[in-house]
Amino acid sequence: MSPYEDLIIDHWRHPRNKGTLPDPDVDVTEANVPCGDVVRLQLKVRNGKVENVRFDGRGCAISMASASLLTEMLKGKRLEELEEMRQEELLEALGGVIKPRLNCALLSFRTLRKALEALGKTGSHVNPSP
Ligand code: FES
């Protein structure tokens, strides 16, 4: 098994930051329309930084593993840093994803963009869908 597959399977079997927050500052859900898979993302923000994060949802192994990994990348980050974050960073952290599965891998990233928009961030660095 490749390191890429190991990472995906580890996050899928042992998701990090899965669940819900009692008092999130933002709570958004995004779906991949063709398959119906969804990711819900909640952020607690303090002093402009992500103090806490949770995700929930249902979907394929890649979408859930990607959401789990993304939550690890968000904790402690300033919202301005998240605005600048590019989808390629998540794909690199996942170890690379084959093109037919890009929509799965980026479902969580699109949910993050939605969360930033809900928080009043413009999402000026939104990347086009693959
Ligand atoms: Fe639906 Fe992967 S098959 S997100």
Side-chain angles (χ1 to χ4, degrees):
M1 198 174 294
S2 72
Y4 151 73
E5 291 167 321
D6 282 344
L7 182 74
I8 298 275
I9 288 171
D10 180 48
H11 274 271
W12 177 55
R13 286 194 178 146
H14 310 287
R16 280 60 147 187
N17 303 305
K18 192 162 192 283
T20 56
L21 293 172
D23 56 347
D25 292 304
V26 66
D27 182 348
V28 295
T29 300
E30 181 73 9
N32 257 355
V33 174
C35 62
D37 292 347
V38 294
V39 167
R40 179 184 184 188
L41 186 68
Q42 297 180 313
L43 301 176
K44 184 69 186 171
V45 179
R46 187 179 298 261
N47 298 324
K49 285 186 179 177
V50 176
E51 182 181 69
N52 211 347
V53 55
R54 290 286 185 279
F55 87 95
D56 206 349
R58 62 170 191 281
C60 65
I62 292 178
S63 66
M64 294 297 105
S66 170
S68 170
L69 185 61
L70 181 66
T71 62
E72 289 194 319
M73 297 169 75
L74 300 183
K75 261 192 186 167
K77 289 263 173 59
R78 299 195 63 77
L79 295 181
E80 288 76 16
E81 289 179 83
L82 300 184
E83 273 189 285
E84 298 292 329
M85 190 175 171
R86 303 233 166 235
Q87 63 189 24
E88 288 76 12
E89 292 175 51
L90 176 60
L91 295 175
E92 280 173 26
L94 283 165
V97 175
I98 57 173
K99 199 166 182 180
R101 304 309 301 272
L102 281 178
N103 271 325
C104 303
L106 292 174
L107 174 57
S108 62
F109 190 83
R110 291 200 309 277
T111 313
L112 170 63
R113 302 310 315 187
K114 195 171 183 177
L116 293 174
E117 286 173 21
L119 284 167
K121 300 295 176 184
T122 61
S124 57
H125 297 278
V126 174
N127 295 337
S129 294

